[in-house]
Amino acid sequence: MAIVATLSKGYDLDYIWKQVDRDPAKDAASYYIQASETGGEPPGHWWGPGARALGFEPGQAVERKPYDLLFGERKSPDGTQLGRLPGNDLYTALLAAEPHATAERKRELRIEAVKKARQSPLFFDLTISLSKSISLFHASLGENARLARQAGDNDGDKYWSSLVGEVDDMIWQAVHAGFAYFQREAGYTRTGSHNTRVHGRETGQWREADLAVAHWLQHTSRDGDMQLHVHSQIAHVAKTATDGKWRAPDSLGYNEHIGAVAAIVSQHLEEALTARFGLEWTVRDDGHGFEITGIGGEMMRVFSSRRESISADLRGRAARFEQRYGRAPTQRELAHLAQASNFATRAAKHGALDLAQAHAGWADKLARTLGVPLASVAPSVWHSQSRRAGPRTRGADGTVLSELELARAAQKAVALAQQAESAWTRADVIKYLGRVLPRTGMDPAAAAALLEDLADRALASEFEPVTCLEAPEPGEVPASLLRADGRSVYQRHGGSRYATRAQLAMEERMVAQASASEAPRVSRAEAAYALSADPARLQDTLAGHAQDGRDAQDPRTGSGLREDQAAAALAALTDGRLVSVLNAPAGSGKTRVLAEAGRIWAEAGLGPVIGITPSQSARNTLAAGVPVCYNAAQFLGHLPGRRGARGPVRIGPGTLLVIDEASMLSGSDLADLIAYAKARGAKIILAGDISQLQAVENGGGMSLLAQTLGFARLAEPVRFRERWEQAASLRLRDGDTSVLADYDQHGRIIGGDPEQMMDAATAAYVALTAGGTDALLMAADHALRRELNRRIREDLINLGIVSGGPAVTIADGTRASPGDLILCTRNDHTVEAGEPGRALANGDLLRIEAITPDGLIVRRALDADPRTGQRRWTDRHFLFNRYENSELGYAVTDHAAQGRTVHSGLAVITGTEDRQHVLPGAQDPHLGGVHDADEEPGISGGVVGKVPVHMGKVPDSRQIFGGDGCLRAGAGRERRGRLSRPGPWSAAGRGSAR
């Protein structure tokens, strides 16, 4: 399933609060129809019951006028208004009533229009990108047709062109299969009032709705590389099945099903290709599905290039600069010139696409690079004795998977879903089945149906015990109030979460053990004395009471801790529970609290203190205050693929385990640590932020314990240079929608289409790096991270900061050369990383100084200079010979960024992230997001306070995130302490931190 599906909103793509006095001609929807109207790309096709209701037959070509009416004005072909007016029309009406509005007032009117419209995007674009190997196979067929046509071979041209047509038909059938699933599972609208809740449930209804979709098959990326992809524009108005009215679809549920759509399209298409051409498939290195056997990574990477013309354009700009100013541009000035070159040479997708010319160019590029004729690729990978494609002979054994194979695939899919999330959905199982189910050449429609059938069997516990975490309806629901999916109309569609019985048993055991009250403790008087603090004041702080104005400005205890820090330490040291939870926003000093708690524990003579963290880089930070530290894998004795193989570090009674960044620990590791501490008579203090990202695999353990046990919360993030940022980060953390305006007013958010934002983020990062600033660029997923890294590296080579060669191959087949920054992705305790006793850690940033036969000569990045913000490096260089365990280090994922403090930070937000993904950008690099919680956070009585057990829980909240310049509703649902993912927003921005 190298086929990938992504979802984005469609409208004018500038950030919504900057959409003032927009040029109406700049319509995002026009991008798709222009590609077909100006030639080259095929026309779009209508699909869906909503399209049929508007008079469009399935497969009918999309024409300009009705297209503009539906996607531009939300009207039917006869001009009838469908649903509410779009936000732009409401804004125009509001602005007409106040013609002399100031810029600030216009911004307020825009916000008011968006809130009234409640359906800002005109459409959603679900883009299905086929794997590069399939794109290469398709291009090879087209190249053979071009060569036959060029040679005057009419029969050959007809033969090869017919094969291209067959593959195109397979693509369309697969996409339609995916959208049949999407219509069934995500085609709903909301009726009635959803503004009121009764017992936590909205009073409105969810009804089936018919979607209208325009599909567009396109052959190339913006950079002209072969990349088959289908843009599917889902109109943001749908016909309600019950009363025939047109309403905005409940797009909140779209994201849940994107992965499943990709799985169904992948299974359908790859089975069809297997049956027709006898293709074989190789599992991808990342486990995300398959690529065609015989089309290797080196060949695929040839067609993943970009902006080759930048170098020439940049040289011209630099020459003109020197001629004008009489000197060569500085590195920073070159970076700004490079940004101009980026935009000047960016290949916008407009104008006619000459496929014959494109095939000739691709063929020339492949021949020059690898010496392989493009025309030979398809015949070399299909399996036919005559080397001409023909229907594959399929025996019964060759197309039917055995029950054992099906059971193994289902068990693996459930395991992958459970490994990724502590609670998961039916759509998640379908997604993972698409990655593991073998391709056999069976009937494509049957193969797609098999994914859903296997998922249902898995949820029915046929392969292992699985539990639905959704509470049943309190009474019998009348048939008139049941939807086709069997659920009440008052119950949101989809969203049902599941967990294996093994997962639930582990969580229940973990909570029971953590609640034990026989753990060693320090007396309250002794702890207060060691903290040099007034016990009464600390108690008031824990209760969230005001201090009557006494020392209101950053009160400090004699130990140097703030009062909220000292109160949290007091609570953890004295409560006598096996596990105490400290919930702290980034930058609030939780690591300092752990170090001070460890000092008091040791001085009290209760036992030794050991620090534990999820990663080696976090361990290195904690070690400054807690000398004896391990990462969790070290402490528990894990080996690759073998949990606990070496056994845990031996501890005795009275040991204090302080666990930093505990929200990033996987549930299984946290459960093992708690069980071990209980067996050995130890005590645990967990410190982390339950509002930040959870563990990459099966997270939510700390949130579950915080909900069950209660927690102490630190009040104030102190790492920010500006006071407003401290308050803004906390508001963002707690889901305050209005905080986005603060970030916007301080120039921290830039909006635009994805390509522009990647270019802008690249240029901004390069400019900062050229000046030596310690900068961090964040992306939510690895695909975006890799693309940003590639663009940055190209710019740095053009600027002469990075050498073009010699180069080595690192992870993902990426090339790296002297001057490049690389990120270590695996701990290596055999390498001393530039300082005595400091081992190389996962997450270390390295700069390549030289390439030798023995490996890379590198230096490791240190914390930035606190005065200048300049990046600093170890004085000593060292040999790094396992560089295959590294990746380019310019852009990192949000998980890798969490916990890092930098001088300047940037983040690219695509529209699929949630609040947890945005928080690292807001709390270190200060990129903000908006949140609108319908219910109060699980903190009461002030920002600081010890939260009683019945109040210390994560809220069941609905949250709103701006996306690609607009607002969109998203929801997070608490399930037994788990955090599901809220909806998306989109922006890019930068800031600076101390």
Side-chain angles (χ1 to χ4, degrees):
M1 201 187 80
I3 292 176
V4 176
T6 58
L7 184 72
S8 61
K9 303 184 187 71
Y11 42 85
D12 202 338
L13 292 175
D14 279 359
Y15 175 61
I16 186 65
W17 291 344
K18 296 185 182 296
Q19 289 184 3
V20 180
D21 297 331
R22 291 287 304 167
D23 178 358
K26 289 187 176 180
D27 179 10
S30 66
Y31 162 81
Y32 307 103
I33 203 163
Q34 284 175 357
S36 62
E37 282 189 338
T38 55
E41 295 288 17
H45 296 149
W46 292 107
W47 181 92
R52 184 187 287 272
L54 292 172
F56 304 125
E57 291 300 318
Q60 180 180 335
V62 177
E63 296 179 348
R64 183 79 196 208
K65 184 176 179 180
Y67 172 89
D68 285 342
L69 285 170
L70 179 61
F71 290 106
E73 302 180 52
R74 205 172 288 138
K75 293 180 180 179
S76 67
D78 63 5
T80 303
Q81 186 68 51
L82 302 175
R84 296 185 180 183
L85 286 170
N88 279 352
D89 293 344
L90 287 172
Y91 169 69
T92 301
L94 290 171
L95 188 60
E98 300 185 39
H100 303 296
T102 64
E104 177 66 18
R105 179 56 181 158
K106 288 179 179 180
R107 188 177 66 80
E108 293 172 355
L109 292 176
R110 170 65 67 187
I111 298 171
E112 183 179 348
V114 169
K115 288 181 177 179
K116 287 184 177 180
R118 295 186 62 85
Q119 53 194 51
S120 308
L122 298 179
F123 62 90
F124 281 76
D125 180 2
L126 200 167
T127 303
I128 300 171
S129 297
L130 306 190
S131 65
K132 186 64 74 174
S133 61
I134 293 177
S135 295
L136 264 162
F137 183 84
H138 185 277
S140 178
L141 299 177
E143 172 63 3
N144 278 286
R146 184 188 73 86
L147 293 176
R149 194 176 311 119
Q150 183 176 288
D153 181 0
N154 293 331
D155 290 341
D157 181 13
K158 182 178 179 181
Y159 167 74
W160 291 105
S161 295
S162 69
L163 294 184
V164 172
E166 284 188 56
V167 175
D168 286 347
D169 288 342
M170 294 176 192
I171 294 171
W172 283 121
Q173 291 170 20
V175 170
H176 293 162
F179 266 82
Y181 164 88
F182 190 80
Q183 167 65 54
R184 188 173 64 253
E185 299 295 333
Y188 290 88
T189 188
R190 303 193 304 175
T191 63
S193 173
H194 287 256
N195 295 325
T196 304
R197 291 193 175 208
V198 177
H199 301 301
R201 292 179 63 168
E202 298 174 30
T203 56
Q205 300 181 2
W206 284 269
R207 294 286 188 172
E208 293 93 340
D210 296 336
L211 302 178
V213 183
H215 292 303
W216 307 86
L217 173 62
Q218 298 189 351
H219 294 76
T220 66
S221 68
R222 286 183 179 270
D223 309 314
D225 290 326
M226 61 182 74
Q227 183 57 64
L228 288 170
H229 58 286
V230 178
H231 288 284
S232 300
Q233 290 177 273
I234 308 166
H236 199 54
V237 62
K239 183 180 179 182
T240 309
T242 52
D243 59 13
K245 292 184 177 180
W246 290 84
R247 297 180 174 92
D250 186 24
S251 56
L252 175 62
Y254 286 179
N255 278 294
E256 178 181 341
H257 299 286
I258 301 308
V261 170
I264 290 171
V265 173
S266 175
Q267 195 81 24
H268 197 289
L269 176 58
E270 290 169 10
E271 293 288 9
L273 290 169
T274 303
R276 178 65 177 89
F277 298 102
L279 299 181
E280 295 180 354
W281 302 88
T282 299
V283 177
R284 288 168 54 95
D285 291 339
D286 59 11
H288 293 178
F290 305 87
E291 297 283 0
I292 297 174
T293 301
I295 300 180
E298 187 177 17
M299 185 181 298
M300 289 186 276
R301 285 191 293 273
V302 170
F303 299 101
S304 299
S305 60
R306 183 180 181 273
R307 301 177 300 165
E308 293 182 355
S309 59
I310 288 179
S311 296
D313 186 86
L314 179 59
R315 285 193 296 270
R317 290 175 186 272
R320 291 192 295 272
F321 182 99
E322 188 168 359
Q323 184 178 12
R324 179 176 181 181
Y325 296 103
R327 62 174 177 83
T330 65
Q331 291 287 5
R332 183 177 292 275
E333 289 163 343
L334 271 174
H336 287 293
L337 293 176
Q339 180 180 11
S341 294
N342 285 344
F343 287 105
T345 60
R346 187 166 69 93
K349 293 185 70 172
H350 56 72
L353 168 67
D354 187 332
L355 274 177
Q357 183 179 355
H359 282 116
W362 297 334
D364 177 68
K365 186 174 184 179
L366 186 60
R368 284 187 293 104
T369 306
L370 299 182
V372 177
L374 178 59
S376 70
V377 173
S380 71
V381 297
W382 74 44
H383 295 279
S384 172
Q385 289 183 354
S386 65
R387 282 304 192 201
R388 291 179 67 84
R392 185 187 181 199
T393 301
R394 296 178 291 160
D397 294 338
T399 60
V400 179
L401 293 169
S402 69
E403 189 62 30
L404 178 60
E405 289 174 305
L406 294 177
R408 285 175 176 169
Q411 289 170 341
K412 189 171 183 180
V414 169
L416 288 170
Q418 190 66 78
Q419 180 180 338
E421 300 284 348
S422 54
W424 35 269
T425 65
R426 176 179 184 266
D428 290 328
V429 180
I430 295 173
K431 175 179 72 175
Y432 289 113
L433 279 168
R435 295 182 181 181
V436 302
L437 201 63
R439 276 46 172 166
T440 63
M442 69 183 300
D443 177 74
L450 179 62
L451 293 179
E452 293 197 66
D453 178 64
L454 272 181
D456 290 334
R457 291 173 61 187
L459 298 183
S461 300
E462 279 196 32
F463 308 109
E464 68 172 296
V466 169
T467 298
C468 179
L469 305 177
E470 186 173 68
E473 289 290 334
E476 184 176 353
V477 180
S480 61
L481 295 178
L482 287 176
R483 295 192 304 260
D485 63 357
R487 306 176 79 180
S488 165
V489 296
Y490 293 100
Q491 194 172 15
R492 181 181 291 278
H493 55 97
S496 296
R497 295 190 172 271
Y498 301 83
T500 62
R501 297 274 177 84
Q503 172 75 19
L504 297 178
M506 179 194 74
E507 293 181 0
E508 290 167 0
R509 183 171 58 253
M510 178 175 68
V511 169
Q513 291 174 340
S515 304
S517 57
E518 298 85 12
R521 71 179 77 188
V522 180
S523 70
R524 294 184 71 83
E526 187 177 6
Y529 178 80
L531 290 164
S532 300
D534 180 356
R537 288 179 63 114
L538 295 185
Q539 185 59 45
D540 285 344
T541 301
L542 284 173
H545 297 160
Q547 294 296 327
D548 301 324
R550 296 173 293 171
D551 302 331
Q553 198 66 28
D554 192 24
R556 295 274 171 175
T557 65
S559 64
L561 296 181
R562 299 190 313 269
E563 280 195 349
D564 64 311
Q565 292 175 314
L570 178 78
L573 290 167
T574 63
D575 63 10
R577 250 195 334 250
L578 176 64
V579 177
S580 302
V581 180
L582 173 59
N583 184 25
S588 59
K590 65 181 182 299
T591 305
R592 172 74 191 282
V593 173
L594 292 180
E596 193 66 14
R599 176 188 66 81
I600 295 170
W601 188 273
E603 290 179 356
L606 294 174
V609 179
I610 298 176
I612 301 173
T613 63
S615 67
Q616 185 66 17
S617 58
R619 175 262 169 213
N620 293 335
T621 300
L622 181 60
V626 182
V628 181
C629 279
Y630 301 87
N631 66 55
Q634 278 181 315
F635 185 86
L636 292 171
H638 298 335
L639 292 175
R642 300 167 57 199
R643 290 184 55 84
R646 295 179 303 185
V649 173
R650 294 184 62 83
I651 61 174
T655 301
L656 175 64
L657 303 179
V658 293
I659 304 179
D660 200 6
E661 303 293 352
S663 62
M664 295 289 289
L665 270 179
S666 69
S668 53
D669 279 353
L670 185 55
D672 286 350
L673 287 168
I674 291 173
Y676 185 52
K678 180 173 176 56
R680 304 297 296 176
K683 161 78 177 179
I684 292 178
I685 300 177
L686 298 179
D689 186 352
I690 61 176
S691 294
Q692 281 199 0
L693 291 169
Q694 305 292 295
V696 177
E697 296 182 352
N698 196 334
M702 179 180 169
S703 298
L704 175 61
L705 294 177
Q707 177 193 13
T708 306
L709 306 178
F711 52 87
R713 176 179 174 179
L714 299 186
E716 183 180 2
V718 296
R719 69 173 49 155
F720 297 97
R721 182 178 297 123
E722 301 291 340
R723 188 70 184 176
W724 73 268
E725 290 177 290
Q726 297 184 13
S729 71
L730 289 175
R731 289 166 59 196
L732 172 60
R733 183 180 183 275
D734 288 337
D736 183 351
T737 305
S738 62
V739 74
L740 187 59
D742 290 353
Y743 285 102
D744 182 37
Q745 289 172 356
H746 286 85
R748 296 297 173 83
I749 298 176
I750 304 169
D753 68 59
E755 190 72 16
Q756 289 176 331
M757 288 301 92
M758 284 193 288
D759 278 339
T762 296
Y765 180 90
V766 169
L768 290 166
T769 298
T773 301
D774 185 24
L776 183 68
L777 175 59
M778 290 169 289
D781 60 65
H782 287 286
L784 180 57
R785 172 190 63 78
R786 285 191 290 267
E787 175 62 15
L788 290 168
N789 275 323
R790 185 178 62 79
R791 296 184 183 206
I792 291 169
R793 182 171 187 266
E794 287 181 2
D795 282 359
L796 293 176
I797 290 174
N798 291 333
L799 293 171
I801 297 174
V802 170
S803 171
V808 296
T809 300
I810 57 177
D812 300 323
T814 306
R815 303 288 283 174
S817 51
D820 266 320
L821 304 187
I822 59 176
L823 195 72
C824 181
T825 59
R826 182 169 296 181
N827 299 328
D828 190 341
H829 300 288
T830 67
V831 176
E832 189 173 76
E835 294 178 310
R838 172 56 160 83
L840 187 63
N842 180 6
D844 280 348
L845 184 66
L846 311 175
R847 184 180 67 198
I848 301 176
E849 304 289 323
I851 297 176
T852 73
D854 296 324
L856 305 180
I857 303 300
V858 298
R859 297 182 191 272
R860 178 174 57 84
L862 304 172
D863 289 340
D865 185 298
R867 184 178 59 85
T868 65
Q870 295 287 289
R871 184 173 279 149
R872 299 187 297 181
W873 304 92
T874 55
D875 293 330
R876 292 169 47 194
H877 55 69
F878 57 95
L879 181 67
F880 180 38
N881 55 16
R882 296 182 181 177
Y883 49 79
E884 67 276 7
N885 297 321
S886 67
E887 57 197 22
L888 289 176
Y890 305 113
V892 301
T893 62
D894 297 328
H895 275 95
Q898 186 160 311
R900 287 181 61 178
T901 302
V902 296
H903 180 274
S904 297
L906 307 96
V908 176
I909 308 300
T910 65
T912 59
E913 298 82 0
D914 55 26
R915 174 177 57 176
Q916 284 75 17
H917 277 278
V918 174
L919 273 173
Q923 292 178 320
D924 268 342
H926 316 311
L927 176 68
V930 285
H931 304 64
D932 183 11
D934 285 345
E935 300 179 15
E936 292 298 318
I939 307 292
S940 184
V943 176
V944 189
K946 180 71 171 73
V947 182
V949 170
H950 68 279
M951 297 171 63
K953 65 178 183 178
V954 181
D956 175 10
S957 61
R958 291 181 60 238
Q959 303 173 332
I960 298 177
F961 300 77
D964 287 341
C966 203
L967 295 181
R968 175 184 176 188
R973 181 68 59 182
E974 174 207 337
R975 299 292 184 195
R976 297 177 56 86
R978 302 171 179 83
L979 297 180
S980 62
R981 301 307 188 199
W985 67 287
S986 178
R990 61 155 294 191
S992 59
R994 182 170 57 185

